[in-house]
Amino acid sequence: MLAEVRALSTTMPSDEFFLARQPILGRDQHLVAYELLFRAAGEHDDARLTDGAAATAAVISHASQLGLEQVVGNKLAFVNVDEDVLMADYVRFLPPNKVILEILETVKPTEPLLARVAELKRLGFKFALDDVVHHSEEVDKLLDLVDVVKVDLQGVTPDVLGHLAISLRKSGKKLLAEKVETQQEFRLCMELGFDFFQGYYFARPVILSGRKITPSEMVILYLLELINSDADDAMIETAVKRDPLISLNLLRLVNGRAAGPDSRIESVAEALTQLGRKQLRRWLQILMFAAPGSKVELNSPLLQLATTRGKLLELMSLQVRPGDVIGAERAFTAGIMSLADALFSMPMADILDNVELAADVRAALLARTGDLGAMLNLVERLEKADTGRQFTGALRKLDLTSKQVREIELAAFNWVRELVHDAA
């Protein structure tokens, strides 16, 4: 079995692949899983999606290096599998309680394959059927054995989608809409009874004409501006106290970290001292993503994506410019602010009119220029597994390797996972 893993993983050297992690949401718009995609790197100018066998072999053979817990936290991982993987013994190295094996559309439902899927189900594995665009005889043969059916929205027209959803729902299986790119597509799939959604529709800005920044949002932006301009402690404390909800959230935050009831902090001044300016800035940036007056919901996909971008850019910046802590802070700001237009439903330029940011951060957010812009562009491509020639060229300009990028990703995923855990 180990020899089998080694043989397959030679197609993807341990330091020469990229990891893409794409969120899967439930009907409540909370994260339930991630699909993991692996792309070859190294000498290939056009990094390509490896075949299913090599991709899954990489997951297994580098399990100690990647660690599914570190990559997906307490969520499930959807992992692509083809016939070679399904029939191989090494697939059993994957933890059945953490993965859903996604049967690629190229797999033919032969008798031996159906028997193998049934065997793996008895061992506790769950399955999804990938890229379904019509209800065929081959789909029917696999339907009884799978738990989730993934429908490719880019492969069907809206009128066909309705008939397909009705047909598949009769099977009692969970339906997952993939490649959902707009809010309109999401709403249609909700109406059709889909259970899960994969795509970046939640991160696409829907600009609302005449939308104004609310008073609470203005307070947060004003506080960020005070910190960025190095205002004195008294000014920051006064600004926090003007908004009771921000004061309450601040006290919740610091007391959540406190050792016990004897160390409870009751004053805003004490809370600000304990937190420090660096952490205050980050907390305010995260607080932007909470509805006014509510607790920060770290299971929000938009917030998780924004905080992950922030940490990715911070760590990339430190890799590109070691020791430049101030530059790394600006990089974090560029990452987390990059989704402000989706958050506020306003053009980015209008949002930036309300907050003072460093010139390189502003250039990255508005035009993806400069080193921060290049890093942000890299991260956006990585999210979509778009790691072709332009991606690898940008990596070379920043003098980053695939191994460094993957290590940065894992560190960022772990940081966000701990952030979610601490806030629970």
Side-chain angles (χ1 to χ4, degrees), residues 161 185 200 211 285:
L161 179 64
E185 289 175 341
Y200 286 97
R211 161 80 158 93
Q285 289 166 339

Side-chain angles (χ1 to χ4, degrees), residues 11-12 45 75 111 180 219 222 245 257 303 354 361 404 413:
T11 61
M12 187 185 293
D45 279 338
K75 310 304 179 191
E111 287 302 321
V180 186
V219 171
Y222 174 61
L245 292 172
R257 296 176 169 192
L303 175 54
N354 292 280
V361 176
Q404 287 170 335
F413 294 160

Side-chain angles (χ1 to χ4, degrees), residues 112-130:
L113 184 125
L114 294 173
R116 176 59 169 167
V117 173
E119 177 191 359
L120 291 171
K121 279 188 74 70
R122 289 193 293 272
L123 292 172
F125 285 97
K126 292 185 176 180
F127 290 86
L129 199 52
D130 191 31

Side-chain angles (χ1 to χ4, degrees), residues 73-149:
N74 62 353
K75 310 304 179 191
L76 291 170
F78 279 65
V79 179
N80 289 324
V81 293
D82 65 2
E83 184 175 359
D84 289 340
V85 174
L86 285 168
M87 301 305 288
D89 284 340
Y90 66 78
V91 72
R92 292 169 61 180
F93 285 160
L94 288 168
N97 64 321
K98 287 296 294 180
V99 302
I100 292 183
L101 300 178
E102 192 171 319
I103 302 173
L104 295 171
E105 68 277 10
T106 54
V107 173
K108 301 298 180 186
T110 62
E111 287 302 321
L113 184 125
L114 294 173
R116 176 59 169 167
V117 173
E119 177 191 359
L120 291 171
K121 279 188 74 70
R122 289 193 293 272
L123 292 172
F125 285 97
K126 292 185 176 180
F127 290 86
L129 199 52
D130 191 31
D131 278 349
V132 173
V133 292
H134 56 274
H135 197 155
S136 65
E137 185 179 336
E138 290 191 340
V139 167
D140 267 334
K141 287 181 179 178
L142 285 161
L143 208 50
D144 286 342
L145 294 169
V146 303
D147 304 273
V148 179
V149 180

Side-chain angles (χ1 to χ4, degrees), residues 50 71 150 155 181 277 384 396:
T50 66
V71 178
K150 295 185 73 174
E181 294 303 321
R277 292 205 174 194
K384 294 179 170 58
R396 291 191 192 103

